[in-house]
Amino acid sequence: MSKKQIIQSDMSSLLSAEEIAEIDAELAHVPYKSGAAIDALKIVQAKRGWVSDECLRGIARHLEMSDEELEGVATFYNLIYRRPVGEKVILFCDSVSCWISGCDDIKTAISQRLGIDYGETTSDNSYTLLPVPCLGACDRAPVMMIGDELVTHIDDEKVTALFGKAIRRAEE
Amino acid sequence: MEKVLTRNIGLDQKPTNLQAYEASGGYQGLRKALAELSPKDCQDIVSDSNLRGRGGAGFPTGMKWSFVPADEQCTPGHKYLVCNADEMEPGTFKDRLLMECDPHQLIEGMILAAYTIGADISYIFIRGEYIVATQRLRDALQECYAAGLLGNNILGSSFSLDMYVHPSAGRYICGEETALINALEGKRANPRAKPPFPQVSGLWGRPTIVNNVETLCNIPHIIDRGADWYKTLGIGEDAGTKLFGVSGKVNNPGCWELPMGTPIREIIEEHAGGMQEGYQLKGFLPGGGSTDFLTSDHLDLAMDYNVIGAAGSRMGTGTMIILDDRTCPVAMVLNLIRFFAHESCGFCTPCRDGLPWSRQVLQDIEEGRGQPEDLETLAYQVSYIGAIGNTHCALAPGAMEPLQSALKYFYDDFKQHISNGRCPYH
Ligand SMILES: Cc1cc2nc3c(=O)[nH]c(=O)nc-3n(C[C@H](O)[C@H](O)[C@H](O)COP(=O)(O)O)c2cc1C
Ligand code: SF4
Ligand code: FES
C-alpha cells in the first residue's frame, strides 16, 4: 500500500460507515463526486450537529476534493455549522417585518434570559442563538425557529414560558 | 371570486392528501394532458394564458418554456425542471402556504411543466427552514409514486418523470436561478454568467427550467380549464389570480388569493383590515424587500405588473410590507440593507463592498453620526450599485430599490436625523 492510500483510508475512517453509506447513496444522483458536497456536509451535520475540521477533511477525501474547495462550500451556507452548536439551534428572524413588530427587544430579552448573544451557546449546551433571514411567516411576526419548531407571535410571555426553565437548569 | 390556487386551503390550513386533492378535481389536468394533449398543445395553452412568473421578475412562463430546445436540437440526455421554493425575500410568505397546505397542486403543476418541456428529472429546491413543507411534499411524492403519478410510464402513458425534494443549505442568493443551479450541483451558489441561459445549458450543462412555486401551481388549472378561462380571472391587464400578502402594523396581516389587478387599497384596507389603531400608513414595499417604496398616493393603483412598474416600483412577489408613521424609514432601510449585505455572495465588488458601505452610512445616520454629505454618498451608491450591468446579478440593484425610493419619499426624515444628530423616532 502506498503512503498516499494509507492517508486516504485514514481520513475516510473519520466518517462512520453509516455516513459513508448515506453519502454514497447521494453519489448515484450526481455525475461527479464533488456534486454531492452539500449533501455530504448535511449528512454529517445531521448526525453530529456540526461539521468539524476532521469531518470536513474526511468528506473532502471521500469526494476527491481539496479541503479548501470543500471549506469554501461549507462556509458559504448559513445552515452548515463549522463550530459546535447546542442541542437546539434558535434561528431568530431579524428581517424587516419581524423588526417592525419589535423583534429587537425580544432578541434582547432572549439574550438576557439565556445569557448568550448571536453565535453563542448556553453553558448547559441546550441552545445556540443565530439570526436568520425572513422565515416566510411575516404575517405571524415576530417569529423564530427552535430546532425544527416554528414559534410565532413571540412576546415576553412566550419568552418566559419557553426559556424560563432553560435558565434555571443552567444555574443549577 | 372563484378561488383557484387556494381552493383546498381552509382556515385550519390542514394539508390536502392525494385522495382529497383528487376529489376536488386534482390531477384532472394531468389526465387530460396525457390522454389528449401533446407537449406542444400544452406549451400553446400556457403561452396563450399570459401567465407571468410569480418569482419576482414576471417573465412570461410560456415564452420561457419555449426556449428549451427540442430533443432533435440538442445532444441526447436529461432535461430538468426545477421548482424554486427558496422563498427568502424579506416580507414574502406565499409559497410556504401553497406547499404546506396543498402539496399535490405543486406536484401536478411540475409534472405538467416537465411533460411540456420534455424533462425527465425534477427537483423542488426548498429552503432548509421549511421543515413542515418539506415533510408534506415528501409524503405527497410517496403517494404519487404509489399511485403511478410519478416514475415510469405515468398513468400508463409513455411519459416518465422522477421528482426529488432538495432542501437548501441556506443563502438568499440560492433563489437566483443560476445560483440555485450551482447549489444543486453542490457548489458555492454564485450566479452564473448569462448567456448561456439555463433553458439551453443549466443543471449539469443540460436544458433546465426554473420556475417559482406559485407559477407552477397555476399550471394544472390552466391546462384543465383553458387559457381563455384563465385570462378572465384577472380584473386588470394581467391574467389569473395571485397570492397577495400584507405584513406590518395592520389589523389582520395575512395572505389571500385575489384577482390580478386588485387595487392596493382593497388589499390593505379590506383584506388586511386597515392600519392598527394609532398607526398611519406612511409607505409600503409592494412586493417584498427588494422593491421600491410606494406611498398613500398609490393606494388606488391596481396590482398589475405594468401598473406597479409605471409607478416606479415592482410587483415582485406581491407580498407587501407596510411602513407606518411610528416606524423610522431610515432604520427600516438599514434593516433591509443589512440583510442584503449579509446575503451578498461576494462575487462582484460593487455588491460585496458596496452594500456594507451603504449599511455603514445608514447606520451612522440612524445612530446620530450622520453628516450632510452622507446623503450625496447614498445617492451615489444608488446610482452606481443600482445600475443594471454594474453587478453580476440582480441582488445588488434589488437592494438599492428600497433605498433609492426612501431617499425620494422620505428625504426629510434622513435630513432630520442628520440635523438633530439623533433618530427622531425614538
Ligand atoms: C437575489 C435573488 C433572489 C431570488 N429569490 C427567489 C426565490 O426565493 N424564489 C423565486 O421563485 N424566485 C427568486 N428569484 C427569481 C429567480 O431568479 C427566477 O427569476 C424565478 O425563480 C423564475 O421563476 P418564475 O419565472 O416562475 O417567476 C430571485 C432572484 C434574485 C436575483
Ligand atoms: S450582485 Fe452580489 S449577489 Fe449578485 S453576483 Fe454580485 S456579489 Fe453576488
Ligand atoms: S420578516 Fe420575520 S418571518 Fe418574514
Side-chain angles (χ1 to χ4, degrees), chain A residues 18 31 33 50 55 66 81 106 109 111 123 125 131 144 155 165:
Chain A
E18 203 186 348
K33 288 187 173 181
W50 67 296
C55 287
S66 72
Y81 306 136
I106 305 219
S111 276
S123 51
N125 202 40
M144 64 181 161
D155 53 16
K165 254 204 200 126

Side-chain angles (χ1 to χ4, degrees), chain A residues 60-86:
Chain A
R61 291 300 176 283
H62 196 68
L63 299 182
E64 293 164 12
M65 299 170 73
S66 72
D67 297 351
E68 291 74 17
E69 190 186 359
L70 185 63
E71 177 75 319
V73 173
T75 52
F76 187 89
Y77 292 98
N78 295 337
L79 299 177
I80 301 291
Y81 306 136
R82 287 286 282 116
R83 283 202 277 159
V85 292

Side-chain angles (χ1 to χ4, degrees), chain B residues 205-224:
Chain B
R206 300 294 307 168
T208 303
I209 285 288
V210 180
N211 273 131
N212 171 258
V213 171
E214 186 183 357
T215 310
L216 290 162
C217 286
N218 279 281
I219 305 297
H221 310 286
I222 293 172
I223 298 293
D224 187 28

Side-chain angles (χ1 to χ4, degrees), chain A residues 29-32 34-35 37-39 42 72-73 75-80 91 94-97 99-101 132-140 145 148 150, chain B residues 88 90-93 96 127 129-131 164 166-167 169-171 173-174 183 185-189 204 247 249 253-254 321-322 327 331-332 335-336 339 343:
Chain A
H29 297 288
V30 292
Y32 42 84
S34 65
I38 299 172
D39 301 298
K42 284 198 293 197
V73 173
T75 52
F76 187 89
Y77 292 98
N78 295 337
L79 299 177
I80 301 291
L91 296 176
D94 63 355
S95 286
V96 63
S97 305
W99 173 79
I100 291 172
S101 304
V132 72
C134 177
L135 282 170
C138 328
D139 52 338
R140 293 170 279 170
M145 293 192 71
D148 286 353
L150 181 71
Chain B
M88 284 183 75
T92 301
F93 49 100
R96 176 201 275 273
R127 66 178 297 185
E129 297 90 344
Y130 278 7
I131 309 273
Y164 306 95
H166 185 102
R171 204 68 197 269
I173 193 60
C174 293
E185 291 186 3
K187 300 178 184 146
R188 288 168 71 93
W204 315 115
S247 64
K249 298 274 186 204
I321 308 156
I322 309 285
T327 297
M332 177 164 165
N335 176 283
L336 290 163
F339 159 82
E343 294 299 316

Side-chain angles (χ1 to χ4, degrees), chain A residues 89-165:
Chain A
V89 175
I90 302 171
L91 296 176
F92 189 84
C93 176
D94 63 355
S95 286
V96 63
S97 305
C98 288
W99 173 79
I100 291 172
S101 304
C103 75
D104 280 354
D105 288 344
I106 305 219
K107 189 263 162 184
T108 307
I110 294 175
S111 276
Q112 280 173 354
R113 204 157 265 282
L114 296 180
I116 49 172
D117 205 338
Y118 283 142
E120 296 174 352
T121 300
T122 51
S123 51
D124 67 349
N125 202 40
S126 38
Y127 296 105
T128 299
L129 183 62
L130 295 175
V132 72
C134 177
L135 282 170
C138 328
D139 52 338
R140 293 170 279 170
V143 305
M144 64 181 161
M145 293 192 71
I146 304 181
D148 286 353
E149 299 288 324
L150 181 71
V151 183
T152 62
H153 300 293
I154 322 167
D155 53 16
D156 286 340
E157 244 168 79
K158 270 200 187 167
V159 171
T160 311
L162 284 164
F163 301 119
K165 254 204 200 126

Side-chain angles (χ1 to χ4, degrees), chain B residues 132-372:
Chain B
V132 173
T134 298
Q135 193 51 51
R136 289 182 182 171
L137 283 163
R138 285 191 167 139
D139 293 346
L141 286 184
Q142 246 180 5
E143 288 183 303
C144 286
Y145 275 101
L149 290 159
L150 279 172
N152 289 332
N153 302 101
I154 293 175
L155 296 174
S157 72
S158 60
F159 177 60
S160 301
L161 176 71
D162 280 318
M163 195 177 289
Y164 306 95
V165 182
H166 185 102
S168 172
R171 204 68 197 269
Y172 171 61
I173 193 60
C174 293
E176 198 279 339
E177 59 184 24
T178 60
L180 187 158
I181 290 169
N182 276 336
L184 270 178
E185 291 186 3
K187 300 178 184 146
R188 288 168 71 93
N190 297 121
R192 295 180 176 179
K194 292 189 263 190
F197 287 91
Q199 292 93 321
V200 179
S201 177
L203 185 60
W204 315 115
R206 300 294 307 168
T208 303
I209 285 288
V210 180
N211 273 131
N212 171 258
V213 171
E214 186 183 357
T215 310
L216 290 162
C217 286
N218 279 281
I219 305 297
H221 310 286
I222 293 172
I223 298 293
D224 187 28
R225 302 176 68 177
D228 289 336
W229 163 82
Y230 188 74
K231 281 189 274 196
T232 64
L233 294 174
I235 55 175
E237 297 170 7
D238 284 311
T241 60
K242 170 96 191 66
L243 265 59
F244 292 114
V246 180
S247 64
K249 298 274 186 204
V250 289
N251 283 309
N252 180 31
C255 183
W256 312 272
E257 181 183 7
L258 298 168
M260 269 297 194
T262 299
I264 295 169
R265 186 184 297 281
E266 180 187 325
I267 299 171
I268 296 177
E269 291 180 2
E270 284 179 36
H271 300 283
M275 297 301 291
Q276 288 174 18
E277 207 181 307
Y279 293 90
Q280 284 191 345
L281 184 142
K282 187 176 171 93
F284 61 96
L285 304 172
S290 65
T291 60
D292 282 271
F293 277 102
L294 295 176
T295 69
S296 51
D297 291 344
H298 301 105
L299 287 176
D300 292 310
L301 296 182
M303 279 299 261
D304 272 324
Y305 291 99
N306 294 340
V307 175
I308 302 300
S313 187
R314 289 190 303 121
M315 167 88 92
T317 59
T319 40
M320 306 172 195
I321 308 156
I322 309 285
L323 167 67
D324 59 80
D325 60 340
R326 289 161 64 179
T327 297
C328 174
V330 176
M332 177 164 165
V333 175
L334 171 60
N335 176 283
L336 290 163
I337 297 288
R338 186 178 281 142
F339 159 82
F340 289 113
H342 184 263
E343 294 299 316
S344 163
C345 83
F347 183 83
C348 58
T349 314
C351 176
R352 181 189 59 239
D353 293 348
L355 295 183
W357 182 23
S358 299
R359 181 194 58 206
Q360 189 56 53
V361 174
L362 285 164
Q363 193 167 340
D364 285 346
I365 296 175
E366 173 61 14
E367 292 174 1
R369 298 183 300 271
Q371 303 297 321

